[in-house]
Amino acid sequence: MSESPASQPLASQPLALQPTVFIVDDDPAIRESLALLMASAGLEAQCFESAQAFLGEHDEDAHGCVVTDLKMPGMTGLELQEQLQARAMALPVIVLTGHGEVSEAVRAMKRGAIDFIQKPFDPAQLLEDIRSAIARDATARTEHAQVSAARKLLSELTDREREVMALVTQGNANKVIAHELDISERTVELHRSRAMKKTGSRSLADLMRIARLANATSPGAS
Amino acid sequence: MTPPRPASAPSRTHFFESMAANRELLPAVLEVAQCLVVVLDRDGRIVMFNRYCEQCTGFSFDEVEGRYIWDALIRPQDRDTAKAVFADLASAEFPASHETFWLTRAGKARLVRWNNTVLEDVHGQAEYVVGAGLDITDSTGSRIKATEDEAKLRAILENVVEGVITIDTRGLMQAVNPAAERIFGYTAAEMIGHNVSMLMPAPHDEQHDRYIGRYLRTGEAAIIGIGREVEGRRKSGEHFPLELSVSEVNLGDHRLFTGMVRDISQRREIEESARRRLDEVAHSARLLELGEMAADLAHEVNQPLAAIASFAEASQRMAADTDGAPPALARALTGIASQAERASQIIRQLRKFARKDQARIVPVDVNAVVRGALELIDHEIRQDGVEVSLELDADLPQVNADKVQLEQILLNLIRNSLEAMRDRPCEAHSLAISSALDDTDSLEVRVTDSGPGLAGDMRERLFEMFHTSKPNGLGVGLAICRSIAEAHGGMLDVEHTSADGTTMRLKLPRNATEGT
């Protein structure tokens, strides 16, 4: 039995790159001080003076988190978050808000991956929030990668193999499946073992995990 | 109708014979008398007609001599009456005086007032009628006119809302009209003959005689012909504001003063409440501005504070990671961080003044707010001659909002519109305000003016905080208006602007919690 190369992504972390803190703020003093703060905490940081500039250079594979301001000329921090969320793999966003913008913040919060920190903020607290955002991003990305991988594996199965696999993972015995699909038990056995092999599953539990991942509705959502 | 008696007509000669004693004198007197003198016989025939009669009627004595007076001189419609008088001459009293119209040669009617004497013969029978008459046509005309004028004048005086009070030089009331009675609560009888000072509060009541005296002496008018607001005193003792104008009437050496009085207490009350309302609005505008400034200041200071705190935190971490870093450096960095935190505390305190913390959110009828705002600057709208048209959706749901803040937005928009239109002084100005529910279930209020529109960068800069061209502000700037709209979950923008005018749009979200 040779090992399937397709099983690799499920086993290892897909995140080879360092997480980056993307600082998007129109105020240069904020950009500079936050960049320095990240450096002092051993975090990679990149600065952008506007949301547009950030989105223009944004790499889909970039990971980490975004720290931005609610009020910026051009595109606000909220609009930036909306734009990011529309993409396949959204970065968590931490929005710095002024006073009185909390109600706006609450409205936006309902939309998803977003944190609000009211100014003036405690830098140590901000660092903590950044770290937890990065961790959330990493988890989401891992899940996302696993889901993609699972779907990719399933896409290599034939229709019949997928049918059999679905019934297997629902907990049906071979005999029941044979009856259901009007094929012999022997044929069921055959499809089942091919599906196991193609997906790199060593047990029924492995197969069920892949099926569950592939059926996950929104990959990347945290 | 009695026919004239033909027989034994007395002759002119006979008349003079009977007046033998005055034979020479009398005709001369009659001729020069500046009144009409006519002598008729007992049948009504003219036997004597003096020169003044000739001048007045245009007929000569010769033309009328011996003719019946009613044929010669009486108006056709009066002839029967005249004949009847002579028919009864024997039995009835001839009127000692009466007025009748004579027709002149030119066909004009002259009204003559007669004083008559009947001359009797030796038997006590009426023989002649002597009439001395005054032509009163002209004076009667003016008298009739005067009577009519007086009636008109009286009708006016009785019905005007202004009180009219006439006093003499002693200050005693000579006449008052019903409005004056109503205003002061006294009857005419209670006022006439009394000093007008009874209608004035102290100290004018005591001073009034002196006021009149000074005017009579110096001719310096303090109120006559000027008119001003003064205080009055009603019978109830209540003081009230009134508008008084006094004019002087000179009837020969008889001087009277007529005062026109208008009770303006109600108008005053309305003005007062409008002023109070304006004060309130101006006050809330100032509070909003203060709040906005506090929020703005907090925001502005927050930025460098956040940077300082971040720099300090970064430095502290780097110092901690550096071998041999002097301990004093760590202390200094800790000091920076804690002072930044202290400044942050001050900013938090300052925020208590921020507008958003003072908002009082209640269900608000936006249409009512529109009308209220219009009312507040009604005088400006009228002053500018601006035509206002409203198209307010009567079924508009209420919104949860701060009413005062919404009012400020509308006031601002309307004011801006008025000012924009002032830049085009020669044209007809219109201001249209509409309200409606849009398809996204937001309330929209549009304010459209017929001003010159916003030039390129004006449209951009309109909402900048300190960008204003207004020196005297009732209300807050558009920057604050927009931030109020946004705080309500809505927006404020320029929907349209062209050389024909500008439409500003205020959008407010309809409330989920709104009841029906």
Side-chain angles (χ1 to χ4, degrees), chain B residues 410-424:
Chain B
L410 281 158
L411 268 177
N412 212 281
L413 296 181
I414 297 169
R415 276 232 154 164
N416 284 344
S417 292
L418 292 181
E419 275 171 28
M421 292 189 287
R422 256 170 236 159
D423 296 342
R424 282 184 159 176

Side-chain angles (χ1 to χ4, degrees), chain B residues 371-392:
Chain B
R371 292 198 189 93
L374 279 171
E375 233 166 73
L376 271 173
I377 44 177
D378 183 52
H379 66 284
E380 277 181 55
I381 292 172
R382 277 193 283 175
Q383 213 167 53
D384 291 4
V386 172
E387 190 83 21
V388 177
S389 61
L390 290 181
E391 204 176 304
L392 304 179

Side-chain angles (χ1 to χ4, degrees), chain A residues 25 27 29-30 32-34 36-37 40-41 69 71 98-101 103-104 107 118-121 123-124 127 131, chain B residues 299 302-311 313-315 317-318 321 344 347-348 351 354 356-357 486-489:
Chain A
D25 201 310
D27 187 330
I30 297 286
E32 219 178 302
S33 61
L34 288 182
L36 211 59
L37 182 63
S40 73
D69 199 293
K71 291 254 160 88
H99 178 68
E101 297 159 349
S103 58
E104 273 173 77
R107 273 197 290 277
Q118 194 166 312
K119 286 184 284 189
F121 52 82
L127 272 178
R131 286 206 167 98
Chain B
H299 177 77
N302 266 336
Q303 294 294 105
L305 268 184
I308 292 169
S310 299
F311 279 129
E313 177 75 20
S315 307
R317 284 169 176 274
M318 289 185 286
D321 290 347
S344 299
I347 291 298
R348 285 186 197 106
R351 280 173 180 165
K356 285 139 193 156
D357 284 355
E486 285 170 356
H488 281 83

